[in-house]
Amino acid sequence: MASKKVEMYAKKRYELDEIKNKIKEEFDKRKFSDVEFKDEIIRELGDTKTLLLIFENWFLRTGSYASLVIMLSEYQGYQSADIIATGGKEAFFSFGAEGDFAKFGEDALENLGFQGKVR
């Protein structure tokens, strides 16, 4: 199964719950109209907050689902985001669905002031 990872960071501008809502709004604006929000997990440990978001989308061109997992973390006025998209592969070839899904997450967070790099 193909996967793609992106790491991002930013100075805190929004609460984690606000970021989640803004990401969902971005899905509504874009071509990913079949994206389904699957689940979330939030944790607070001392001064550290973490929010894990899981999305899923059906890609017709691959005949399969791709998953997008975004982990948002906050500590001492800074936030980080780890984005992992996986799936979207048929037989021995990746048709880029996971890359498109990861890019969407990256673009949505860039619009919120995050910067980062693809790994």
Coordinates of all heavy atoms in Angstrom, one line a residue, residues 37-113:
F37 N -15.4 12.2 7.4 CA -14.7 12.3 8.7 C -15.0 11.1 9.5 O -16.1 10.8 9.8 CB -15.1 13.6 9.4 CG -14.5 13.8 10.8 CD1 -13.2 14.1 10.9 CD2 -15.3 13.7 11.9 CE1 -12.6 14.2 12.1 CE2 -14.7 13.8 13.2 CZ -13.4 14.1 13.3
K38 N -13.9 10.3 9.8 CA -14.2 9.0 10.5 C -14.1 9.1 12.0 O -14.9 8.5 12.7 CB -13.1 8.0 10.0 CG -13.2 7.7 8.5 CD -14.6 7.2 8.1 CE -14.7 5.7 8.3 NZ -16.0 5.2 7.8
D39 N -13.1 9.8 12.5 CA -12.9 9.8 14.0 C -11.9 10.8 14.4 O -11.2 11.4 13.6 CB -12.5 8.4 14.5 CG -13.0 8.1 15.9 OD1 -13.5 9.0 16.6 OD2 -12.9 6.9 16.3
E40 N -11.9 11.1 15.7 CA -10.9 11.9 16.3 C -10.6 11.4 17.7 O -11.4 10.8 18.4 CB -11.4 13.4 16.4 CG -12.5 13.6 17.4 CD -12.9 15.1 17.4 OE1 -13.6 15.5 16.5 OE2 -12.6 15.8 18.4
I41 N -9.4 11.7 18.1 CA -8.9 11.5 19.5 C -8.2 12.7 20.0 O -7.3 13.2 19.3 CB -8.0 10.2 19.5 CG1 -8.6 9.0 19.0 CG2 -7.4 10.0 21.0 CD1 -7.7 7.8 18.8
I42 N -8.6 13.2 21.2 CA -7.9 14.4 21.7 C -7.3 14.0 23.1 O -8.0 13.2 23.9 CB -8.9 15.6 21.9 CG1 -8.1 16.8 22.2 CG2 -10.0 15.3 22.8 CD1 -8.8 18.1 21.9
R43 N -6.1 14.5 23.4 CA -5.4 14.2 24.6 C -4.8 15.5 25.1 O -4.3 16.3 24.4 CB -4.3 13.2 24.4 CG -4.7 11.8 24.0 CD -5.3 11.0 25.1 NE -5.5 9.6 24.7 CZ -6.7 9.2 24.4 NH1 -7.7 9.9 24.4 NH2 -6.8 7.9 24.0
E44 N -4.9 15.6 26.4 CA -4.1 16.7 27.1 C -3.3 16.1 28.2 O -3.8 15.4 29.1 CB -5.1 17.7 27.7 CG -5.8 18.6 26.7 CD -6.6 19.8 27.3 OE1 -6.0 20.4 28.3 OE2 -7.7 20.0 26.9
L45 N -2.0 16.4 28.1 CA -1.1 15.9 29.1 C -0.2 17.0 29.6 O 0.7 17.5 28.9 CB -0.2 14.8 28.6 CG -0.9 13.5 28.0 CD1 0.1 12.7 27.2 CD2 -1.5 12.7 29.2
G46 N -0.6 17.6 30.7 CA 0.1 18.8 31.2 C -0.1 20.0 30.2 O -1.3 20.3 29.9
D47 N 1.0 20.5 29.7 CA 0.9 21.7 28.8 C 0.8 21.2 27.4 O 0.7 22.1 26.5 CB 2.1 22.6 29.0 CG 2.1 23.3 30.3 OD1 1.1 23.3 31.0 OD2 3.2 23.7 30.7
T48 N 0.7 20.0 27.1 CA 0.7 19.4 25.7 C -0.7 19.0 25.4 O -1.3 18.2 26.1 CB 1.7 18.3 25.6 OG1 3.0 18.7 26.0 CG2 1.8 17.8 24.2
K49 N -1.1 19.4 24.2 CA -2.4 18.9 23.6 C -2.2 18.2 22.3 O -1.3 18.7 21.5 CB -3.3 20.1 23.4 CG -3.7 20.9 24.6 CD -4.6 22.0 24.3 CE -5.0 22.9 25.5 NZ -5.8 24.0 25.1
T50 N -2.9 17.2 22.1 CA -2.8 16.5 20.8 C -4.2 16.1 20.3 O -5.0 15.7 21.1 CB -2.0 15.1 21.0 OG1 -0.7 15.5 21.6 CG2 -1.8 14.4 19.7
L51 N -4.4 16.3 19.0 CA -5.6 16.0 18.4 C -5.3 15.1 17.1 O -4.6 15.6 16.2 CB -6.4 17.2 18.0 CG -7.7 17.1 17.2 CD1 -8.7 16.3 18.0 CD2 -8.3 18.4 16.8
L52 N -5.9 13.9 17.1 CA -5.7 13.0 16.0 C -7.0 13.0 15.2 O -8.1 12.7 15.7 CB -5.4 11.6 16.5 CG -5.1 10.6 15.4 CD1 -3.7 10.8 14.8 CD2 -5.1 9.2 16.0
L53 N -6.9 13.3 13.9 CA -8.0 13.3 13.0 C -7.9 12.3 11.9 O -6.8 12.1 11.3 CB -8.2 14.7 12.3 CG -8.2 15.9 13.2 CD1 -8.1 17.2 12.4 CD2 -9.5 15.9 14.0
I54 N -9.0 11.6 11.6 CA -8.9 10.5 10.6 C -10.0 10.8 9.5 O -11.2 10.9 9.9 CB -9.1 9.1 11.2 CG1 -8.0 8.9 12.3 CG2 -9.1 8.0 10.1 CD1 -8.3 7.7 13.1
F55 N -9.6 10.8 8.3 CA -10.5 11.0 7.2 C -10.4 9.9 6.2 O -9.3 9.2 6.1 CB -10.2 12.4 6.4 CG -10.3 13.6 7.3 CD1 -9.2 14.1 8.0 CD2 -11.5 14.3 7.4 CE1 -9.3 15.2 8.7 CE2 -11.6 15.4 8.1 CZ -10.5 15.9 8.8
E56 N -11.4 9.7 5.4 CA -11.4 8.6 4.3 C -12.0 9.2 3.1 O -13.0 9.9 3.2 CB -12.1 7.4 4.9 CG -12.0 6.2 4.0 CD -12.6 5.0 4.7 OE1 -13.9 5.0 4.7 OE2 -11.9 4.2 5.3
N57 N -11.5 8.7 1.9 CA -12.1 9.1 0.7 C -12.0 8.0 -0.3 O -11.0 7.3 -0.4 CB -11.4 10.4 0.1 CG -12.1 11.0 -1.1 OD1 -13.3 11.1 -1.1 ND2 -11.3 11.5 -2.0
W58 N -13.1 7.8 -1.1 CA -13.1 6.8 -2.2 C -12.5 7.5 -3.5 O -13.0 8.6 -3.9 CB -14.5 6.4 -2.5 CG -14.7 5.5 -3.6 CD1 -15.1 5.8 -4.9 CD2 -14.3 4.1 -3.7 NE1 -15.1 4.8 -5.7 CE2 -14.6 3.7 -5.0 CE3 -13.8 3.2 -2.8 CZ2 -14.4 2.4 -5.4 CZ3 -13.6 1.9 -3.2 CH2 -13.9 1.5 -4.5
F59 N -11.6 6.8 -4.1 CA -11.0 7.3 -5.3 C -11.4 6.4 -6.4 O -10.9 5.2 -6.4 CB -9.4 7.4 -5.2 CG -9.0 8.6 -4.4 CD1 -8.9 8.5 -3.0 CD2 -8.7 9.8 -5.1 CE1 -8.5 9.6 -2.3 CE2 -8.3 10.9 -4.3 CZ -8.2 10.8 -3.0
L60 N -12.2 6.8 -7.3 CA -12.7 6.0 -8.5 C -11.5 5.5 -9.3 O -11.5 4.4 -9.7 CB -13.6 6.8 -9.3 CG -14.3 6.1 -10.4 CD1 -15.1 4.9 -9.9 CD2 -15.2 7.0 -11.2
R61 N -10.5 6.4 -9.6 CA -9.4 6.0 -10.5 C -8.6 4.8 -9.9 O -7.9 4.1 -10.7 CB -8.5 7.2 -10.8 CG -7.6 7.6 -9.7 CD -6.7 8.8 -10.2 NE -5.8 9.2 -9.1 CZ -5.9 10.3 -8.5 NH1 -6.9 11.1 -8.7 NH2 -5.0 10.6 -7.6
T62 N -8.6 4.6 -8.6 CA -7.9 3.5 -8.1 C -8.8 2.3 -7.6 O -8.3 1.2 -7.3 CB -7.1 3.9 -6.8 OG1 -7.9 4.3 -5.8 CG2 -6.1 5.0 -7.2
G63 N -10.1 2.6 -7.6 CA -11.0 1.6 -7.1 C -10.8 1.2 -5.7 O -11.1 0.1 -5.3
S64 N -10.4 2.2 -4.9 CA -10.1 1.9 -3.5 C -10.2 3.2 -2.6 O -10.3 4.3 -3.1 CB -8.7 1.3 -3.3 OG -7.8 2.2 -3.7
Y65 N -10.2 3.0 -1.3 CA -10.2 4.1 -0.4 C -8.8 4.5 -0.1 O -7.9 3.7 -0.1 CB -10.9 3.6 0.9 CG -12.4 3.6 0.9 CD1 -13.0 2.4 0.6 CD2 -13.1 4.7 1.1 CE1 -14.4 2.3 0.5 CE2 -14.5 4.7 1.0 CZ -15.2 3.5 0.7 OH -16.5 3.4 0.7
A66 N -8.7 5.8 0.3 CA -7.4 6.3 0.8 C -7.8 6.9 2.2 O -8.9 7.5 2.4 CB -6.8 7.3 -0.1
S67 N -6.9 6.8 3.1 CA -7.1 7.4 4.4 C -6.1 8.6 4.6 O -5.0 8.6 4.2 CB -6.8 6.4 5.5 OG -7.7 5.3 5.4
L68 N -6.6 9.6 5.3 CA -5.8 10.8 5.7 C -5.8 10.9 7.2 O -6.9 11.0 7.8 CB -6.3 12.0 5.0 CG -5.6 13.3 5.4 CD1 -4.2 13.3 4.8 CD2 -6.3 14.5 4.8
V69 N -4.6 10.8 7.8 CA -4.5 11.0 9.3 C -3.7 12.2 9.5 O -2.6 12.4 9.0 CB -3.8 9.7 9.9 CG1 -3.7 9.9 11.4 CG2 -4.6 8.5 9.6
I70 N -4.3 13.1 10.4 CA -3.6 14.3 10.7 C -3.5 14.4 12.2 O -4.5 14.3 12.9 CB -4.3 15.6 10.2 CG1 -4.5 15.6 8.7 CG2 -3.6 16.9 10.7 CD1 -5.3 16.7 8.1
M71 N -2.2 14.4 12.7 CA -2.0 14.6 14.2 C -1.5 16.0 14.4 O -0.5 16.4 14.0 CB -1.0 13.6 14.7 CG -0.8 13.6 16.2 SD 0.3 12.4 16.9 CE 1.9 13.1 16.3
L72 N -2.3 16.7 15.2 CA -2.0 18.1 15.6 C -1.5 18.1 17.0 O -2.2 17.5 17.9 CB -3.2 19.0 15.4 CG -3.9 19.1 14.1 CD1 -5.2 19.7 14.1 CD2 -3.0 19.9 13.1
S73 N -0.4 18.7 17.3 CA 0.1 18.8 18.6 C 0.4 20.2 19.0 O 0.8 21.0 18.1 CB 1.4 18.0 18.7 OG 1.2 16.6 18.4
E74 N 0.3 20.6 20.3 CA 0.5 21.9 20.7 C 1.3 21.9 22.0 O 1.0 21.2 22.9 CB -0.9 22.6 20.9 CG -0.8 24.0 21.4 CD -2.2 24.6 21.5 OE1 -2.9 24.6 20.5 OE2 -2.5 24.9 22.7
Y75 N 2.4 22.8 22.0 CA 3.2 22.9 23.2 C 3.8 24.2 23.3 O 4.5 24.6 22.3 CB 4.2 21.8 23.3 CG 5.1 21.8 24.5 CD1 4.6 21.5 25.7 CD2 6.4 22.1 24.4 CE1 5.4 21.5 26.9 CE2 7.2 22.2 25.5 CZ 6.7 21.8 26.7 OH 7.5 21.9 27.9
Q76 N 3.7 25.0 24.4 CA 4.4 26.3 24.6 C 4.2 27.2 23.4 O 5.2 27.8 23.0 CB 5.8 26.0 24.9 CG 6.0 25.3 26.2 CD 7.5 25.2 26.6 OE1 8.4 25.4 25.8 NE2 7.7 24.9 27.9
G77 N 3.0 27.4 22.9 CA 2.7 28.4 21.9 C 3.1 28.0 20.5 O 2.9 28.8 19.5
Y78 N 3.5 26.7 20.3 CA 3.8 26.2 19.0 C 2.9 25.0 18.7 O 2.5 24.3 19.6 CB 5.3 25.8 18.8 CG 6.2 27.0 18.8 CD1 6.7 27.5 19.9 CD2 6.5 27.6 17.6 CE1 7.5 28.7 19.9 CE2 7.3 28.8 17.5 CZ 7.8 29.3 18.7 OH 8.6 30.4 18.7
Q79 N 2.6 24.8 17.4 CA 1.8 23.7 17.0 C 2.6 22.9 15.9 O 3.3 23.5 15.1 CB 0.5 24.2 16.4 CG -0.4 24.8 17.5 CD -1.6 25.4 17.0 OE1 -1.7 26.0 16.0 NE2 -2.7 25.2 17.8
S80 N 2.4 21.6 15.8 CA 2.9 20.8 14.8 C 1.8 20.0 14.2 O 0.8 19.7 14.8 CB 4.1 19.9 15.3 OG 3.6 19.0 16.2
A81 N 2.0 19.6 13.0 CA 1.1 18.7 12.3 C 1.8 17.6 11.5 O 2.8 17.9 10.8 CB 0.2 19.5 11.3
D82 N 1.5 16.4 11.8 CA 2.0 15.2 11.0 C 0.9 14.7 10.2 O -0.2 14.4 10.7 CB 2.5 14.2 12.0 CG 3.7 14.7 12.7 OD1 4.8 14.8 12.1 OD2 3.6 15.0 13.9
I83 N 1.1 14.6 8.9 CA 0.0 14.2 8.0 C 0.5 12.9 7.3 O 1.6 12.8 6.8 CB -0.2 15.2 6.8 CG1 -0.6 16.6 7.5 CG2 -1.2 14.8 5.8 CD1 -0.5 17.7 6.5
I84 N -0.3 11.9 7.4 CA 0.0 10.6 6.7 C -1.2 10.2 5.9 O -2.3 10.1 6.4 CB 0.3 9.5 7.7 CG1 1.6 9.9 8.5 CG2 0.5 8.2 6.9 CD1 1.9 8.9 9.6
A85 N -1.0 10.1 4.6 CA -2.0 9.6 3.7 C -1.6 8.2 3.2 O -0.4 8.0 2.8 CB -2.3 10.5 2.5
T86 N -2.5 7.3 3.2 CA -2.2 5.9 2.7 C -3.4 5.3 2.0 O -4.5 5.7 2.2 CB -1.8 5.1 3.9 OG1 -1.3 3.8 3.5 CG2 -2.9 4.8 4.9
G87 N -3.1 4.3 1.2 CA -4.1 3.6 0.4 C -4.0 4.1 -1.0 O -3.0 4.5 -1.5
G88 N -5.2 3.9 -1.7 CA -5.3 4.4 -3.0 C -4.4 3.7 -4.0 O -4.0 4.2 -5.0
K89 N -4.2 2.4 -3.8 CA -3.3 1.6 -4.7 C -4.1 0.4 -5.2 O -4.8 -0.2 -4.5 CB -2.1 1.2 -3.9 CG -1.0 0.6 -4.8 CD 0.2 0.4 -4.0 CE 1.3 -0.2 -4.9 NZ 2.5 -0.4 -4.2
E90 N -3.8 0.1 -6.4 CA -4.5 -1.1 -7.0 C -3.4 -1.9 -7.7 O -2.6 -1.4 -8.4 CB -5.5 -0.6 -8.1 CG -6.3 -1.7 -8.7 CD -7.3 -1.2 -9.7 OE1 -8.4 -0.8 -9.2 OE2 -7.0 -1.1 -10.9
A91 N -3.4 -3.2 -7.4 CA -2.4 -4.1 -8.0 C -1.0 -3.6 -7.6 O -0.7 -3.4 -6.5 CB -2.6 -4.3 -9.4
F92 N -0.1 -3.5 -8.6 CA 1.3 -3.1 -8.4 C 1.6 -1.6 -8.6 O 2.7 -1.2 -8.5 CB 2.2 -4.0 -9.2 CG 2.1 -5.4 -8.9 CD1 1.5 -6.3 -9.8 CD2 2.7 -5.9 -7.8 CE1 1.4 -7.6 -9.5 CE2 2.6 -7.3 -7.4 CZ 1.9 -8.1 -8.3
F93 N 0.6 -0.8 -9.0 CA 0.8 0.5 -9.3 C 0.0 1.5 -8.4 O -1.1 1.3 -8.1 CB 0.4 0.8 -10.8 CG 1.0 -0.1 -11.8 CD1 0.4 -1.2 -12.3 CD2 2.3 0.2 -12.2 CE1 1.1 -2.1 -13.2 CE2 3.0 -0.6 -13.1 CZ 2.3 -1.8 -13.6
S94 N 0.7 2.6 -8.0 CA 0.0 3.6 -7.3 C -0.4 4.7 -8.3 O 0.4 5.1 -9.2 CB 1.0 4.3 -6.3 OG 0.4 5.4 -5.8
F95 N -1.7 5.1 -8.2 CA -2.2 6.1 -9.2 C -2.2 7.5 -8.5 O -2.8 8.4 -9.0 CB -3.6 5.7 -9.6 CG -3.6 4.5 -10.5 CD1 -3.9 3.2 -10.0 CD2 -3.3 4.6 -11.8 CE1 -3.9 2.1 -10.8 CE2 -3.3 3.5 -12.7 CZ -3.6 2.2 -12.1
G96 N -1.5 7.6 -7.4 CA -1.3 8.9 -6.8 C -2.4 9.4 -5.9 O -2.4 10.6 -5.5
A97 N -3.4 8.6 -5.6 CA -4.5 9.0 -4.7 C -4.0 9.4 -3.4 O -4.4 10.5 -2.8 CB -5.5 7.9 -4.6
E98 N -3.0 8.7 -2.8 CA -2.5 9.0 -1.5 C -1.8 10.3 -1.5 O -1.8 11.1 -0.6 CB -1.7 7.9 -0.9 CG -0.3 7.7 -1.5 CD -0.3 7.1 -2.9 OE1 -1.3 6.5 -3.3 OE2 0.7 7.2 -3.6
G99 N -1.1 10.6 -2.6 CA -0.3 11.9 -2.7 C -1.3 13.0 -2.8 O -1.1 14.1 -2.3
D100 N -2.4 12.9 -3.6 CA -3.4 13.9 -3.7 C -4.0 14.2 -2.4 O -4.3 15.4 -2.0 CB -4.5 13.5 -4.7 CG -4.0 13.5 -6.1 OD1 -2.9 14.0 -6.4 OD2 -4.8 13.0 -7.0
F101 N -4.3 13.2 -1.6 CA -5.0 13.3 -0.3 C -4.0 14.0 0.7 O -4.4 14.9 1.4 CB -5.4 12.0 0.2 CG -6.7 12.0 0.9 CD1 -7.5 13.0 1.0 CD2 -7.1 10.8 1.6 CE1 -8.7 13.0 1.7 CE2 -8.3 10.7 2.3 CZ -9.1 11.9 2.4
A102 N -2.7 13.6 0.7 CA -1.8 14.3 1.6 C -1.6 15.7 1.2 O -1.5 16.6 2.0 CB -0.4 13.5 1.5
K103 N -1.5 16.0 -0.1 CA -1.4 17.4 -0.6 C -2.6 18.2 -0.1 O -2.4 19.4 0.2 CB -1.3 17.4 -2.1 CG -1.1 18.8 -2.7 CD 0.2 19.4 -2.4 CE 0.4 20.7 -3.2 NZ 0.9 21.7 -2.4
F104 N -3.7 17.7 -0.1 CA -4.9 18.4 0.3 C -4.7 18.8 1.8 O -4.9 20.0 2.2 CB -6.2 17.6 0.2 CG -7.3 18.3 1.0 CD1 -7.9 19.4 0.5 CD2 -7.6 18.0 2.3 CE1 -8.8 20.1 1.2 CE2 -8.5 18.7 3.0 CZ -9.1 19.7 2.5
G105 N -4.3 17.9 2.6 CA -4.1 18.2 4.0 C -3.0 19.3 4.2 O -3.1 20.2 5.0
E106 N -1.9 19.1 3.4 CA -0.8 20.1 3.5 C -1.3 21.5 3.1 O -1.1 22.5 3.7 CB 0.3 19.7 2.5 CG 1.5 20.6 2.6 CD 2.6 20.1 1.6 OE1 2.4 19.1 0.9 OE2 3.7 20.7 1.6
D107 N -2.1 21.6 2.0 CA -2.6 22.9 1.5 C -3.5 23.5 2.6 O -3.5 24.7 2.8 CB -3.4 22.7 0.2 CG -2.5 22.4 -1.0 OD1 -1.2 22.5 -0.8 OD2 -3.0 22.0 -2.0
A108 N -4.4 22.7 3.2 CA -5.4 23.2 4.2 C -4.6 23.8 5.3 O -5.0 24.9 5.8 CB -6.3 22.1 4.6
L109 N -3.5 23.1 5.8 CA -2.8 23.7 6.9 C -1.9 24.8 6.5 O -1.7 25.8 7.3 CB -1.9 22.5 7.5 CG -2.7 21.5 8.3 CD1 -2.0 20.2 8.6 CD2 -3.3 22.1 9.6
E110 N -1.4 24.9 5.3 CA -0.6 26.1 4.8 C -1.5 27.3 4.9 O -1.1 28.4 5.3 CB -0.1 25.9 3.4 CG 1.2 25.1 3.4 CD 1.7 24.9 2.0 OE1 1.0 25.3 1.0 OE2 2.8 24.3 1.9
N111 N -2.8 27.1 4.5 CA -3.8 28.3 4.6 C -4.0 28.8 6.0 O -4.4 29.9 6.2 CB -5.1 27.9 4.0 CG -5.0 27.7 2.5 OD1 -4.1 28.1 1.9 ND2 -6.0 26.9 2.0
L112 N -3.6 27.9 7.0 CA -3.7 28.3 8.4 C -2.4 28.8 9.0 O -2.3 28.9 10.2 CB -4.3 27.1 9.2 CG -5.7 26.6 8.8 CD1 -6.0 25.4 9.5 CD2 -6.7 27.7 9.1
G113 N -1.4 28.9 8.2 CA -0.1 29.4 8.6 C 1.0 28.4 8.9 O 2.1 28.7 9.4

